[in-house]
Amino acid sequence: MTGIFDSHAHYDDERFDQDREEVLEATHRGGVEWIMNIGSDLPTSRMSVELAEKHDYIYGAVGVHPHGAAEVPPDYLDQLRQLSRHPKVKAIGEIGLDYYYDREWEAAQKRVFEEQLELAKELELPVIIHDRDAHQDTMELLRKHRPRGIVHCYSGSAEMALEILRLGMYIGFTGVVTFKNARRALEAAAVVPLDRLLVETDCPYMAPEPWRGKRCDSSMLTQVLRRLAEIKGVSPEELARITAENARRVYGIAE
């Protein structure tokens, strides 16, 4: 399968420190023609830019993940603004809310999320949204700010997906769709029209079956495409083409 766009990856992660270049070369040679590498704090955002500079087929997003919201330096927005000037930075992300572990830092998460939504609007860039166990608050802020962009690694209901679509956003799905308990994700995928659907690995996380629990990389995206193609009634090759077109459109990347 060729022409694949991995719309959300973390090759800055330390789990790739021993063989990053070998993995990237192998996945690109195997048909992954574009990768969006996503920052989750200032150091990984800088590394995303470095990876994009080094590889023609990699683009970058810069942003602060909710887990880092309580520790941002006072000038973090200025640092993100500076990084975003690089021509291969195509989005602000990943940003959002995550209440999975606890809600101790809820106020800080909301503040940093909103500040980055406003930054994206200022810079006319799309956003990449992280939402884990925070659906209500996430949707309230998306309704308020109405950003362009993507809700990635989608974990909400089909009904919530329809509202996200009404806001004009795209929705990304990971290897979760291959899991045996994936009913909720597949119900959501079924209502997302082909022109708003994205595929992603979120690597090194979310490896699909039969690699669940192992380190994920972009080559495994073929399994995600095959499972979603069954749901959407198209061939995996056609879905690869469509989702790549969608990713290039939302990120503003020419062929």
Side-chain angles (χ1 to χ4, degrees), residues 69-119:
E71 301 169 353
V72 291
D75 67 340
Y76 86 99
L77 288 171
D78 288 334
Q79 292 192 53
L80 292 177
R81 191 178 284 109
Q82 181 67 29
L83 288 168
S84 72
R85 291 176 181 162
H86 193 284
K88 291 192 76 179
V89 170
K90 299 296 184 179
I92 300 297
E94 66 186 275
I95 65 177
L97 301 173
D98 191 323
Y99 299 161
Y100 178 73
Y101 293 105
D102 60 57
R103 300 183 66 159
E104 181 181 359
W105 306 111
E106 179 180 328
Q109 287 192 26
K110 287 181 178 179
R111 175 180 62 81
V112 170
F113 184 21
E114 280 209 86
E115 288 174 349
Q116 292 181 97
L117 287 170
E118 290 166 356
L119 178 66

Side-chain angles (χ1 to χ4, degrees), residues 47 49 55 67 70 91 94 97-98 128 131 161 175 178 184 207 211 239 242 250:
M47 190 166 178
V49 175
H55 300 279
H67 286 168
E94 66 186 275
L97 301 173
D98 191 323
I128 301 159
D131 164 29
T178 69
R184 185 177 171 91
W211 303 288
L239 191 60
I242 291 169
V250 70

Side-chain angles (χ1 to χ4, degrees), residues 16 50 56 58 62 78 81-82 85 102 123 135 153 156 191 201 209 212:
F16 291 109
E50 291 169 8
D56 290 344
I58 296 180
V62 299
D78 288 334
R81 191 178 284 109
Q82 181 67 29
R85 291 176 181 162
D102 60 57
L123 299 174
H135 300 325
C153 192
V191 305
T201 54
E209 297 289 359
R212 185 174 183 179

Side-chain angles (χ1 to χ4, degrees), residues 5-255:
F5 196 136
D6 186 349
S7 66
H8 193 113
H10 295 282
Y11 283 105
D12 52 87
D13 191 276
E14 63 184 10
R15 274 165 277 191
F16 291 109
D17 283 354
Q18 300 304 311
D19 59 353
R20 181 176 290 108
E21 293 303 315
E22 293 87 342
V23 171
L24 286 170
E25 182 182 345
T27 59
H28 187 52
R29 193 170 58 243
V32 179
E33 294 189 21
W34 304 271
I35 295 171
M36 178 59 68
N37 199 81
I38 314 295
S40 53
D41 55 23
L42 291 170
T44 57
S45 292
R46 284 189 285 270
M47 190 166 178
S48 288
V49 175
E50 291 169 8
L51 285 168
E53 284 184 332
K54 190 172 184 178
H55 300 279
D56 290 344
Y57 56 93
I58 296 180
Y59 295 84
V62 299
V64 175
H65 185 285
H67 286 168
E71 301 169 353
V72 291
D75 67 340
Y76 86 99
L77 288 171
D78 288 334
Q79 292 192 53
L80 292 177
R81 191 178 284 109
Q82 181 67 29
L83 288 168
S84 72
R85 291 176 181 162
H86 193 284
K88 291 192 76 179
V89 170
K90 299 296 184 179
I92 300 297
E94 66 186 275
I95 65 177
L97 301 173
D98 191 323
Y99 299 161
Y100 178 73
Y101 293 105
D102 60 57
R103 300 183 66 159
E104 181 181 359
W105 306 111
E106 179 180 328
Q109 287 192 26
K110 287 181 178 179
R111 175 180 62 81
V112 170
F113 184 21
E114 280 209 86
E115 288 174 349
Q116 292 181 97
L117 287 170
E118 290 166 356
L119 178 66
K121 188 171 291 187
E122 170 198 326
L123 299 174
E124 298 184 339
L125 287 172
V127 294
I128 301 159
I129 304 297
H130 174 102
D131 164 29
R132 190 177 189 190
D133 289 2
H135 300 325
Q136 182 175 340
D137 287 353
T138 298
M139 290 308 301
E140 285 182 6
L141 290 173
L142 293 182
R143 291 184 204 108
K144 176 181 176 181
H145 291 274
R146 302 187 71 86
R148 294 187 300 117
I150 303 150
V151 177
H152 105 96
C153 192
Y154 188 70
S155 61
S157 65
E159 292 75 19
M160 180 175 154
L162 290 172
E163 182 171 4
I164 291 166
L165 294 167
R166 285 192 292 271
L167 291 172
M169 302 186 76
Y170 292 70
I171 297 178
F173 291 92
T174 65
V176 168
V177 298
T178 69
F179 298 171
K180 290 180 180 178
N181 59 346
R183 180 184 59 82
R184 185 177 171 91
L186 293 174
E187 287 175 351
V191 305
V192 178
L194 286 171
D195 65 353
R196 299 284 195 86
L197 185 67
L198 298 177
V199 291
E200 56 172 282
T201 54
D202 200 18
C203 67
Y205 315 104
M206 301 296 182
E209 297 289 359
W211 303 288
R212 185 174 183 179
K214 299 184 183 300
R215 185 187 72 172
C216 186
D217 67 61
S218 299
S219 68
M220 299 178 186
L221 206 51
T222 54
Q223 295 299 99
V224 179
L225 286 161
R226 289 189 178 104
R227 186 67 184 101
L228 287 173
E230 293 174 3
I231 300 299
K232 305 309 286 185
V234 298
S235 71
E237 293 77 12
E238 178 70 358
L239 191 60
R241 182 189 66 78
I242 291 169
T243 53
E245 286 181 357
N246 294 344
R248 290 198 305 272
R249 185 186 315 119
V250 70
Y251 287 134
I253 297 170
E255 280 195 73

